[in-house]
Every structure is written in C-alpha cells, then in structure tokens.
Amino acid sequence: MAALDNLVVTTALPAIREDLGGKLEDLEWTVNAYTLTFAVLLMFGAALGDRFGRRRLFIVGLGVFTAASAAAALSPGIDSLIAARAVQGVGAAIMMPLTLTLLTAAVPAARRGMALGIYGAVTGLAVASGPLIGGSLTEHISWQWIFWINVPIGLALIPLARLRLAESTAPGARLDIPGTLLISGGLFGIVYALVNANAEGWTSAPVLTGLLVGSALVGGFIHHGFNNANPMLPMRLFRDRGFLGINLASLLMFLGMFGSIFLLSQFLQGVVGYSPTEAGLRMLPWTGMPMIVAPLAGILSDRIGGRPVVAAGLAFQALGLGWFAAILGADVSYAAQLPPLILSGIGMALYFAPAANVLMSTVAPADQGKASGTNNALREVGGALGVAVLASVFSAQGGYESPQTFVDGTVPALWIGGGAVALAAALALLVPRKAKAAAQAPAERGATVPEKVPAAG
C-alpha cells in the first residue's frame, strides 16, 4: 500500500482536477503532500519503533494510513484531499521502515532469503502497477477508489499484525526531535516556494520567504548532523565520496523520474486522449520493465560490479527522457512513444537492482541502517522536488489551455528532467570500484546499531 500510493494518484490527476477543481499547484500537492511527509519522517518513524516497540508503532502507522485513506476518499475539496494525503504520508513513514525488521523476525533464518525476495518483488510490483491500478479504478469506478482500496486491507491487517507479529525494541534508541523539525520545516519551505513560484511570482514575499527560511533550516539540519552526538542523519557519512555520489544520484534520479511521470500521465489523457486505464497500460513499458530486467541487472552487477550498471541505467533513463522530449507533439503516436518508454524502463531497472548493494558498500556494517534510511528519504525528497521543479517549468512555458500549450510546457520540463538524471549518471561514477565498508569509521559514539530500512518504492 505504501509503495503503491507513490504513483497510484498520477493517472487519476485529470479526474481529480475535473471533479474537485484546483490549479496546477494543487495537483502538485496531491502528490507532494504524501512524498514530502513520507520522506522527512521516514527515519523518525524507524526511531519511534525502535524506542516504543516496532509492532506497536507498525500498527499505529497502519491505522493512521488507513484512516487517512478513508479521509482522502471522502474529501469534499482539493484542500481536504491534500491534507489527507499529508496524513497518509505520516502513516506510511511510521509503518514502512519497520516492515523489514518485522519480516526478518517473523521468518526462520532458512527461509529468510525467499521471504525477502518476495518482499522486494511485491514492492516492485506495487510501484510498476501504480499508474495502471489508479487509472483502472478511476475509469471504471471513481478516483475515490484509489484510496478506498486501502481501507479494507488496512482493517484486515491491524488485528493480523497484533496476533501474528512479535514485539521488539532497540534498547537505548534515541529520537532526534530537533533534527526532524529542522528538515521538515526546511523542505516544506523550499517545496512550497517552488510549487507557488509561477502563481505568486519568484520575487513575491511568500516565495522568497519559503526559499530563504527553508534553505536556512536545511543548513541548520546539516550543522546539527555534524555536531550532534546522535543525529537522525550523521553528516560524517557524506565525507565518503561513494556515499555522497550514490545518494545524490538517487535524489536526481527520482527528481527526473517523478516529475516526468507527473506530466506524462496527464499528457497521455489530456492531449493524446487515452482513458485512465489506457494511459496506465501504456506507462507499463516504463514502470513495469524493472520486473523483467532487474534479475538480469542483478546478475550483471555481480559479474562486473554495481557502479557501471547503476551509471548505465541512469544514462539510459536520461536518454529515454531526452528522446521523449525530442518527439513529443500533440499528434505523436504511441508507436513513436514506445522506444523511449522501453529505454527508460530498462534504465530504471539497471539502477534499482544494484543501487542498494552499491550504497551498502560505502559504509561500515554498523551504519547500514542509517545509510539505507538516508537513501530512501532522499529518494522521496527527490520525487517531491521533481514534481515541484518540472511543474514549475511546465507552468512557465505552457499550461492546460490547449493540447499545444500542454506540449509547449512539457517538452522543456522533460529536457530538464533528463538533464538531472544525466547528472546523476555522472555522480554515480564517484562510487569506488570496490567495496570498502570494513575500512569505514565505526558507528557514532553511543549509537545502537539500527535496523535496515526498506525501499519505499
């Protein structure tokens, strides 16, 4: 459910806009309200579970997510939908980091590899099928059902989790409340400014305030990470060029990918004229390709190393977005769209399969939990920034007035998205050729060894 809700709303955006009204910035917030709260609270949610009980907090997060899904389905207007999406992100941030720990404890060691493989496949399937499920429910029932579908599943899982999962804690786990407040306020200010820049004006007081205050708070978070004894995100990890490279590459990858999907899913419906289901199906060569290519990419990375596979995947994704930008037009055929969709999907698969192993090779074993949580959070931040940045370019260069104005706005946005992913490919080359986790600095003083945080889709 948590991974699905990253992209399930994309193919429902035109129907939401028609039903509830709202401007482009409102549609951006229906996506970003979820990804942003998910991102900034992800590591805090893991720490809450370590401190107060992983099963207990998993059930709390599941309950919040389920209730917020019902609230989103019942939303009478766009503002209440955005608020419900934000609360959904809070619930996902609490429950999602704890799933891998709970799964590991629930399965015997001899079957753990198979269980984790199923876990990864289900998460990948959720991401791949998000646009298709969202489009099918929107077309055949209503857009509200992209949220209603979570409610019976959540209600069934809450008692099942209480009865079948074992409780556990991490003695001595600490909460970094100042760090959480700094990064939450900082990212909200920056994303708010980017989303509203074209409507309010780049020199308007709200936009300038958001950029300046947001940047100052992010700077405070970085200072806090260097100087606090037990920060949410130890900034010393970024002194390693490999850790810095793979995390910046992940942020830029999601910036380009999420922002492009946000616009292209609307293009397929509003300009080309596909139904929501048809649009979701036609996105599958991109979003679903990892299900086919990822196993081959994993084998390839074992043979030649993860760095060249990740860099090649990001390069393919960048080429796919550039190809799309070059051919996009109001009358473009699906046959012309198919090659860049496939190329982008192959690139996504080549990135996803070895990225986790590349990340873990840059840190000591005691730091792997925080490293994984950091990477997942930065990916979600990249997605939120991608929707904000590319939609800002879109609204500055085009709009919804006609098919041609939509194309006029989408083409430069796709070029920028492709450029961001191309930069990510270059940054991936900063990763060392060989793993050196054993040579890294030990975990920060007084910290317990955290659990690995799973990918959020």
Side-chain angles (χ1 to χ4, degrees):
M1 290 193 299
L4 184 73
D5 272 60
N6 267 319
L7 291 178
V8 73
V9 75
T10 53
T11 42
L13 289 172
I16 292 172
R17 180 170 174 262
E18 182 178 348
D19 192 12
L20 299 183
K23 297 170 287 186
L24 174 65
E25 50 264 36
D26 297 317
L27 296 182
E28 292 177 64
W29 280 116
T30 62
V31 178
N32 281 347
Y34 180 81
T35 56
L36 201 56
T37 53
F38 194 171
V40 299
L41 296 175
L42 190 68
M43 297 181 74
F44 189 68
L48 284 173
D50 289 344
R51 178 77 176 270
F52 299 109
R54 293 166 182 140
R55 182 186 66 181
R56 180 181 295 113
L57 265 294
F58 175 77
I59 292 171
V60 169
L62 188 56
V64 170
F65 186 90
T66 302
S69 296
L74 293 169
S75 297
I78 195 73
D79 291 337
S80 56
L81 175 60
I82 292 169
R85 287 283 285 167
V87 179
Q88 258 194 319
V90 173
I94 296 172
M95 71 173 178
M96 192 66 180
L98 304 174
T99 54
L100 195 58
T101 307
L102 291 166
L103 178 63
T104 301
V107 178
R111 297 168 57 194
R112 201 162 287 158
M114 180 183 68
L116 296 178
I118 294 171
Y119 176 93
V122 169
T123 302
L125 181 62
V127 174
S129 60
L132 176 59
I133 291 175
S136 298
L137 291 172
T138 299
E139 180 179 354
H140 298 295
I141 310 178
S142 71
W143 65 262
Q144 286 88 348
W145 274 90
I146 66 176
F147 303 114
W148 279 128
I149 194 174
N150 295 328
V151 176
I153 298 172
L155 291 176
L157 287 176
I158 289 171
L160 190 63
R162 178 66 182 83
L163 293 171
R164 301 295 296 171
L165 296 177
E167 186 60 281
S168 64
T169 59
R174 302 174 186 176
L175 302 177
D176 183 10
I177 294 175
T180 302
L181 293 175
L182 285 169
I183 193 61
S184 300
L187 288 174
F188 175 81
I190 292 170
V191 172
Y192 173 86
L194 290 171
V195 168
N196 291 281
N198 284 294
E200 302 277 352
W202 283 96
T203 58
S204 65
V207 171
L208 286 177
T209 301
L211 287 173
L212 293 174
V213 174
S215 298
L217 290 173
V218 170
F221 175 76
I222 293 171
H223 180 268
H224 174 80
F226 275 119
N227 295 281
N228 190 270
N230 189 49
M232 172 198 301
L233 176 53
M235 289 296 161
R236 63 174 175 76
L237 295 177
F238 288 96
R239 291 178 177 141
D240 181 276
R241 67 183 178 92
F243 185 83
L244 176 66
I246 191 64
N247 277 290
L248 287 179
S250 297
L251 185 147
L252 290 168
M253 160 68 175
F254 272 66
L255 188 154
M257 182 188 71
F258 260 67
S260 299
I261 289 176
F262 174 80
L263 293 173
L264 288 174
S265 62
Q266 296 181 73
F267 168 82
L268 291 174
Q269 295 179 64
V271 176
V272 182
Y274 294 130
S275 70
T277 303
E278 290 171 337
L281 280 170
R282 282 161 176 79
M283 295 283 282
L284 277 179
W286 185 1
T287 60
M289 190 60 67
M291 298 295 293
I292 301 171
V293 179
L296 301 176
I299 294 171
L300 186 63
S301 66
D302 287 340
R303 291 186 177 179
I304 67 173
R307 185 182 75 159
V309 179
V310 168
L314 292 169
F316 285 170
Q317 177 74 86
L319 288 171
L321 291 177
W323 191 341
F324 228 122
I327 65 162
L328 205 66
D331 57 351
V332 64
S333 67
Y334 184 67
Q337 298 173 48
L338 192 57
L341 285 170
I342 293 173
L343 184 62
S344 295
I346 293 172
M348 189 189 297
L350 292 176
Y351 160 79
F352 276 128
N357 284 336
V358 170
L359 173 74
M360 293 308 173
S361 75
T362 66
V363 297
D367 285 326
Q368 287 184 351
K370 286 191 175 180
S372 180
T374 298
N375 186 256
N376 286 315
L378 286 174
R379 283 161 49 177
E380 297 294 329
V381 168
L385 290 175
V387 171
V389 170
L390 269 61
S392 179
V393 174
F394 167 84
S395 61
Q397 301 295 320
Y400 289 101
E401 291 79 14
S402 69
Q404 189 56 50
T405 57
F406 196 97
V407 171
D408 291 342
T410 303
V411 169
L414 289 179
W415 280 119
I416 290 174
V421 183
L423 178 58
L427 288 169
L429 296 177
L430 290 174
V431 178
R433 292 181 181 274
K434 294 183 179 180
K436 55 176 184 176
Q440 297 297 312
E444 65 268 27
R445 182 175 65 254
T448 56
V449 178
E451 300 289 347
K452 188 185 293 185
V453 182

